[in-house]
Amino acid sequence: MTDNEGTPDALTDGFHLLIDALKLNDLNTIYGVPGIPVTDLGRMAQDAGIRVLSFRHEQNAGNAAAIAGFLTKKPGICLTVSAPGFLNGLTALAHATTNCWPMILISGSSEREVVDLLQGDYEEMDQLAIAKPLCKAAYRILHAEDIGIGVARAIRSAVSGRPGGVYLDIPGALLGQVMDEAEGAKSLVKVIDPAPAQIPAPSAVSRAIEVMKGAKKPLIILGKGAAYAQADEVVREFVETSGMPFLPMSMAKGLLPDNHQQSAAAARSMALKESDVVIMVGARLNWLLSHGKGKQWGDAHSTKFVQIDIEPREMDSNVEIAAPLVGDVESCLSALLTEMGSSWEKPSEDWLGPLSVKKESNLVKMASKLLNNSNPMDYHAALGVLREIIAERPDAMLVNEGANTLDLARSIINMSKPRKRLDVGTWGVMGVGMGSAIAAAVETGNPVLAIEGDSAFGFSGMEVETICRYNLPVCIVIFNNNGIYRGTDVNTSGGSDVATTVFVKDARYDQMMEAFGGAGAYVTSPDELRRAVNEAMDSGRPTLVNAVIDEAAGSESGNIGSLNPQSVVSKK
Ligand code: OXT
Ligand code: ADP
Ligand code: MG
């Protein structure tokens, strides 16, 4: 190509256009694993000032991108190679979609001509077709001049309405396609107002107010959609103006401090069972809330629901919603506040009094358990220590997965700021821990405490090398009870294999961190645990604390043992 004077025109290519399109939209971090055909893309992105974090497995990179989406309201970017790398990333993309977090999985792929004739290309797979049912939207870009619009479409799909995961298919040849640099620059799109406010209809607001006014025992449930919305001030104002007790779902903890007077978290069962009107704010009536019916809700099917959600199809998903309020959390709560005015009648002591008695009794029961100084430690003894450490560091990020390790940490460790608690989410999925910890450190710059069951940690444990490589301020505490739920199961067949839930006894996970230059600690008492974790959180040095937990202390599946099907046939 030449211009009028005969000098060569400046050229660009697919690599540069993709990088420029991401940067133009302030997407400045990529989580991924390099390889054909995206190795140079990662190198060039790094060279262009994007932070490119290379992981040891795509699922962990994808989980990092998913959490980055939750924390920032911008799509987290995960970059993978074709077929196997793509599939490794796909679980995380589905996880992001299920949790309503924005994420874009960008995967290199083989050429259409070869894939569609099934001619056996290197890592051949019809990735677009496979991704489609597992995410919110899936696109393929075939021409360099479409990269700008393709990336824009992916961003808008990920963050607008109910957020979710988007797949972007990048055939290898696209990256090498060449076009005029000026034309290329013109083809890029800066997405304007990617997640527009969604204002609720005035009639829907009035209906909600009427239902709220009729309540004798109202309850607010805050979900991780409310945390995602970053409408923290309005949420606080709504809760405090209403005077209603509130329950935070796991990742909504800290939206208002857990020690807030109106928190009913320590009287959860009573609050759910006895409330007559429940205002759902960015939370779904899924399995985590017993689908809004049954014993947990007092069996009478008399609870009336007001539901605030950006997704209209969420309404009536499980039970009738008396007052659907479709819109974003900030707009809906602001509209409610306007109608409530300054003289809103707060709930009566007939409701708040007994609730607070129940709450106090659970708090007292809990307090005594936390002082347990047993050796080996039980969950309460160890979590009592970590609770203090988090209380002293309100800005620290808390990552949490496991079964007992998850359920007990959720109720024991108070959160005092929004979006500080990251856990297994809607699927209860193990393996999100290290991806979440890495993204938490990268996106916030704050110290991270990852409280991990020994099984949970194993799903993404190799990323300790990644944590050391990038020198991230992550302290992992492994609750080592020698297995899944407990380390005490026996193989009843009499064979020599250990039981299916049991691991190598007294494994030295701490040495994994030491192998890569981080600090390891092996602790058996609350005092040793306190010392090791404080030192790690203060120094910011990558650390793994192997906390020995009584192998008999846990229960099957933690708090959700009732979900296990029971066999009625006795074989012996
Ligand atoms: O009101 P009542 O009296 O009822 O009391 C409640 C509260 O009021 C009270 N409370 C308090 N009291 C005092 N003070 C305070 N501050 C306080 N706060 C609350 O405490 C009780 C309980 O309150 P809570 O927790 O709020 O309420 P509850 O009833 O538990 O809430 C219900 C739920 C459903 C909302 C809640 O339980 C919840 O969110 N659960 C999430 C559960 C979950 O997702 N679990 C993870 C999955 S389990 C299983 O699937 C596992 N696997 C299989 C597997 C998975 N998941 N993924 C993949 C990819 N492959 C396989 C595996 C392999 S777990 C697992 C590994 C497990 O082993 P580990 O070694 O990792 O872990 P360990 O178990 O430690 O060994
Ligand atoms: P939890 O597990 O904490 O109960 P869920 O993930 O089940 O939370 O529910 C989150 C809900 O929040 C989803 O239904 C989602 O559509 C909704 N949501 C996400 N972002 C917003 C927003 N900005 N405004 C309103 N609703 C939102
Ligand atoms: Mg365990």
Side-chain angles (χ1 to χ4, degrees):
M1 255 183 274
T2 58
D3 64 17
N4 291 342
E5 275 85 49
T7 51
D9 279 349
L11 298 176
T12 188
D13 60 16
F15 287 106
H16 289 90
L17 286 166
L18 186 51
I19 292 163
D20 291 347
L22 294 174
K23 286 181 65 175
L24 181 65
N25 286 287
D26 297 324
L27 298 175
N28 296 314
T29 306
I30 294 177
Y31 302 93
V33 175
I36 299 168
V38 298
T39 317
D40 274 347
L41 182 62
R43 287 193 185 112
M44 291 157 101
Q46 188 175 51
D47 187 54
I50 289 182
R51 185 151 197 213
V52 184
L53 293 123
S54 288
F55 282 64
R56 304 300 291 255
H57 191 288
E58 290 87 351
Q59 192 173 116
N60 307 322
N63 286 326
I67 277 298
F70 170 68
L71 290 173
T72 64
K73 286 185 102 175
K74 293 193 292 186
I77 305 293
C78 177
L79 178 65
T80 80
V81 304
S82 30
F86 155 76
L87 286 174
N88 286 344
L90 198 53
T91 308
L93 188 69
H95 168 68
T97 307
T98 298
N99 283 280
C100 313
W101 300 333
M103 164 181 172
I104 302 175
L105 174 66
I106 303 178
S107 296
S109 64
S110 301
E111 302 323 314
R112 298 307 318 152
E113 296 81 349
V114 184
V115 174
D116 288 349
L117 279 172
L118 300 178
Q119 290 176 317
D121 203 0
Y122 167 74
E123 295 190 350
E124 175 184 294
M125 175 174 276
D126 189 356
Q127 296 168 197
L128 187 71
I130 290 165
K132 267 185 187 159
L134 295 171
C135 58
K136 191 175 166 193
Y139 307 107
R140 176 187 294 127
I141 305 176
L142 287 173
H143 304 294
E145 60 266 32
D146 292 333
I147 287 176
I149 206 73
V151 169
R153 241 166 127 49
I155 293 170
R156 196 176 282 282
S157 294
V159 298
S160 62
R162 169 181 276 176
V166 173
Y167 174 59
L168 196 55
D169 194 78
I170 303 292
L174 174 75
L175 296 170
Q177 278 182 27
V178 171
M179 70 182 287
D180 177 75
E181 190 181 36
E183 288 300 313
K186 265 195 266 167
S187 73
L188 299 183
V189 176
K190 166 109 179 144
V191 183
I192 296 159
D193 196 13
Q198 296 198 18
I199 317 287
S203 59
V205 176
S206 307
R207 190 186 297 118
I209 291 284
E210 283 315 303
V211 174
M212 284 162 58
K213 278 184 181 158
K216 295 212 159 28
K217 298 180 170 183
L219 174 70
I220 296 169
I221 296 185
L222 301 173
K224 57 178 157 352
Y228 173 82
Q230 297 193 14
D232 308 336
E233 246 335 280
V234 185
V235 170
R236 189 194 52 74
E237 202 185 330
F238 174 72
V239 171
E240 292 183 347
T241 305
S242 74
M244 296 174 189
F246 73 93
L247 273 184
M249 299 301 287
S250 193
M251 286 180 65
K253 275 166 73 79
L255 256 177
L256 282 95
D258 278 327
N259 62 7
H260 193 284
Q261 204 199 342
Q262 285 170 256
S263 169
R268 186 176 195 273
S269 297
M270 182 181 172
L272 291 180
K273 193 176 281 176
E274 296 195 10
S275 52
D276 60 355
V277 169
V278 173
I279 298 137
M280 309 279 298
V281 186
R284 285 172 285 186
L285 284 168
N286 56 15
W287 71 279
L288 290 154
L289 285 166
S290 306
H291 305 279
K293 56 195 172 197
K295 215 166 64 202
Q296 194 179 23
W297 292 89
D299 269 335
H301 294 287
S302 56
T303 314
K304 282 195 172 156
F305 290 98
V306 175
Q307 183 159 24
I308 296 175
D309 206 293
I310 204 154
E311 169 57 65
R313 287 175 304 175
E314 187 54 39
M315 306 301 163
D316 308 320
S317 59
N318 286 271
V319 291
E320 179 187 286
I321 300 301
L325 208 46
V326 176
D328 66 273
V329 163
E330 180 155 21
S331 302
C332 291
L333 292 182
S334 304
L336 287 176
L337 275 165
T338 305
E339 294 249 334
M340 286 159 78
S342 53
S343 53
W344 181 260
E345 198 176 324
K346 300 201 168 163
S348 91
E349 272 309 301
D350 294 348
W351 171 226
L352 300 182
L355 210 50
S356 109
V357 169
K358 175 70 189 168
K359 181 172 148 181
E360 276 314 306
S361 122
N362 271 350
L363 289 174
V364 169
K365 251 189 261 169
M366 165 91 77
S368 62
K369 288 190 197 160
L370 298 181
L371 296 175
N372 188 349
N373 212 10
S374 59
N375 192 329
M377 294 178 282
D378 65 9
Y379 287 92
H380 285 86
L383 288 166
V385 168
L386 300 180
R387 169 187 162 109
E388 285 167 25
I389 289 174
I390 287 293
E392 286 157 8
R393 296 172 177 78
D395 287 318
M397 302 296 294
L398 180 71
V399 171
N400 188 201
E401 60 177 340
N404 296 282
T405 305
L406 173 85
D407 287 332
L408 291 166
R410 182 180 58 250
S411 51
I412 292 172
I413 300 184
N414 283 340
M415 305 307 298
S416 53
K417 291 197 175 180
R419 294 172 296 284
K420 300 293 181 204
R421 183 184 157 83
L422 310 174
D423 67 27
V424 299
T426 302
W427 266 348
V429 62
M430 298 297 110
V432 293
M434 294 304 101
S436 300
I438 291 169
V442 167
E443 300 292 341
T444 71
N446 294 342
V448 180
L449 177 62
I451 306 177
E452 300 272 312
D454 51 345
S455 163
F457 170 74
F459 285 74
S460 63
M462 192 61 207
E463 302 299 343
V464 293
E465 188 274 331
T466 312
I467 291 167
C468 288
R469 188 168 9 111
Y470 294 109
N471 195 25
L472 297 173
V474 175
C475 172
I476 304 161
V477 177
I478 297 193
F479 276 29
N480 189 357
N481 65 346
N482 300 334
I484 300 177
Y485 314 140
R486 279 180 304 261
T488 49
D489 273 7
V490 287
N491 173 354
T492 51
S493 78
S496 59
D497 288 348
V498 294
T500 55
T501 54
V502 169
F503 294 159
V504 164
K505 303 275 182 197
D506 205 24
R508 295 300 302 267
Y509 295 101
D510 43 310
Q511 294 175 358
M512 282 177 71
M513 190 59 110
E514 289 170 352
F516 301 108
Y522 177 89
V523 304
T524 58
S525 72
D527 282 345
E528 287 172 357
L529 177 63
R530 182 177 295 107
R531 217 172 303 128
V533 177
N534 270 326
E535 191 179 320
M537 297 296 279
D538 290 343
S539 70
R541 183 171 176 209
T543 301
L544 194 155
V545 179
N546 186 352
V548 177
I549 300 288
D550 179 357
E551 64 173 4
S555 57
E556 179 93 359
S557 303
N559 286 10
I560 56 171
S562 62
L563 298 184
N564 286 304
Q566 302 291 319
S567 169
V568 290
V569 180
S570 169
K571 288 255 170 78
K572 290 196 176 158

